[in-house]
Amino acid sequence: MHYIEIDLAWTYSNESGICVIADNGQIIYCESKVFSDEMIADIVAEHAQEGAIVGIDAPS
């Protein structure tokens, strides 16, 4: 199982960030240059195959 945190940007011109952490605390993936919903979906799909808890920090 992985823990996935997504920090969404206000607009597509700004980047969102995603961090994936394994059960043992190891950082599996960490990137702050994610620009589209498709990129976010692809990253989550790749790292959530064995289950994941996902947190999202979104602008209000």
Side-chain angles (χ1 to χ4, degrees):
M1 169 132 80
H2 290 136
Y3 299 91
I4 302 172
E5 175 60 26
I6 303 169
D7 182 14
L8 295 175
W10 281 85
T11 66
Y12 284 120
S13 63
N14 294 324
E15 63 272 350
S16 293
I18 298 181
C19 187
V20 180
I21 301 173
D23 279 338
N24 65 3
Q26 178 184 5
I27 296 173
I28 303 295
Y29 180 90
C30 192
E31 181 62 61
S32 63
K33 294 184 180 178
V34 180
F35 289 98
S36 71
D37 294 341
E38 292 79 17
M39 288 176 72
I40 293 169
D42 289 345
I43 294 165
V44 171
E46 177 184 347
H47 294 285
Q49 292 178 8
E50 296 178 18
I53 295 174
V54 180
I56 301 173
D57 178 17
S60 55

